[in-house]
């Protein structure tokens, strides 16, 4: 078990809370993106969700998580919370996180991973065509929030913690690759506009 509490907890939430939801979501024809919200004070889980674009094409993992958050926990102040995204958010999700008032977000897979490993390039095409930005080309620290790649947390962890964190990272990546393969093989049958 890693002694780096933030990296450890974020990986645990992805593996234990988001991935099971995503597995069900992919079985229903949705993409592999998910998110969660945690309390900064004790890293406890507030809500976890996954992509639900088969219901509404705007229900990306992050936006669907925010929807559920405001349905269940309207009184919590976002300044006291951590936003966790399995994949680096698209422009719509970046805006939603900003409008909700979060001062942070952490992500597991990068934009480039979404394009190259998951064959879902739409986020990057929109960033390029609408905003003229390259993958990850937005300001990672700005007047609203700071974004952090979980890979950077792992790289900065104590040397003794890194093997465990890297092994968990690899295990999560394999599970997402399996889910991506399932999604890709069945996406022609769903009604998502940008499948």
């Amino acid at each position: 078990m890693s002694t780096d509490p933030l990296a450890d907890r974020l990986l645990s939430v992805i593996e234990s809370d988001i991935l099971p939801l995503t597995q069900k979501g992919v079985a229903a024809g949705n993409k592999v993106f998910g998110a969660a919200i945690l309390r900064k004070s004790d890293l406890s889980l507030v809500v976890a969700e996954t992509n639900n674009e088969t219901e509404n094409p705007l229900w990306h993992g992050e936006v669907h998580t925010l929807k559920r958050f405001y349905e269940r926990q309207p009184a919590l102040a976002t300044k006291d919370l951590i936003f966790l995204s399995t994949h680096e958010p698209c422009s719509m999700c970046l805006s939603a996180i900003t409008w909700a008032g979060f001062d942070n977000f952490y992500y597991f897979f990068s934009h480039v991973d979404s394009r190259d490993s998951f064959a879902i390039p739409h986020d990057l095409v929109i960033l390029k065509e609408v905003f003229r930005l390259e993958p990850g080309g937005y300001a990672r620290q700005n007047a609203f929030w700071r974004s952090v790649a979980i890979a950077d947390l792992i790289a900065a962890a104590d040397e003794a913690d890194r093997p465990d964190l890297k092994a968990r990272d690899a295990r999560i990546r394999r599970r997402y690759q399996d889910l991506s393969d399932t999604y890709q093989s069945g996406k022609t049958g769903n009604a998502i506009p940008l499948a």
Side-chain angles (χ1 to χ4, degrees):
M1 180 72 99
S2 170
T3 57
D4 183 308
L6 183 58
D8 176 67
R9 182 63 177 141
L10 296 179
L11 291 172
S12 293
V13 168
I14 291 170
E15 197 163 26
S16 299
D17 299 294
I18 301 171
L19 260 167
L21 295 170
T22 301
Q23 187 170 359
K24 291 177 187 174
V26 168
N30 291 293
K31 293 184 184 120
V32 297
F33 308 118
I37 297 172
L38 297 82
R39 287 178 178 84
K40 287 180 182 177
S41 61
D42 61 4
L43 302 179
S44 62
L45 181 67
V46 175
V47 64
E49 263 303 339
T50 194
N51 185 291
N52 195 14
E53 287 182 84
T54 56
E55 179 182 311
N56 179 330
L58 300 181
W59 293 158
H60 288 199
E62 298 90 340
V63 175
H64 196 235
T65 300
L66 288 167
K67 174 187 181 295
R68 294 285 192 232
F69 170 71
Y70 283 106
E71 288 172 350
R72 297 176 188 177
Q73 301 287 343
L76 296 177
T78 54
K79 69 177 179 59
D80 298 326
L81 303 171
I82 292 171
F83 196 94
L84 170 61
S85 182
T86 59
H87 294 70
E88 193 168 9
C90 71
S91 54
M92 178 179 74
C93 294
L94 287 171
S95 294
I97 292 166
T98 305
W99 280 105
F102 283 87
D103 64 7
N104 70 86
F105 70 86
Y106 293 81
Y107 62 92
F108 188 75
F109 292 104
S110 71
H111 281 158
V112 172
D113 290 326
S114 293
R115 180 192 65 206
D116 297 349
S117 298
F118 299 103
I120 302 175
H122 313 300
D123 300 351
L124 299 182
V125 172
I126 291 169
L127 279 171
K128 182 77 170 178
E129 290 297 317
V130 177
F131 300 102
R132 302 291 186 218
L133 293 174
E134 295 299 327
Y138 61 92
R140 295 184 189 284
Q141 292 189 34
N142 55 62
F144 299 101
W145 40 255
R146 177 179 68 94
S147 71
V148 179
I150 294 174
D152 292 340
L153 292 179
I154 293 171
D158 290 338
E159 191 173 334
D161 293 335
R162 275 187 236 134
D164 173 59
L165 294 170
K166 286 181 178 182
R168 291 169 70 196
D169 176 286
R171 185 171 62 235
I172 291 167
R173 287 178 187 279
R174 283 191 302 272
R175 288 188 64 197
Y176 270 100
Q177 189 59 61
D178 290 344
L179 289 172
S180 176
D181 293 345
T182 300
Y183 169 75
Q184 291 296 331
S185 69
K187 73 180 182 180
T188 57
N190 70 32
I192 300 171
L194 293 177

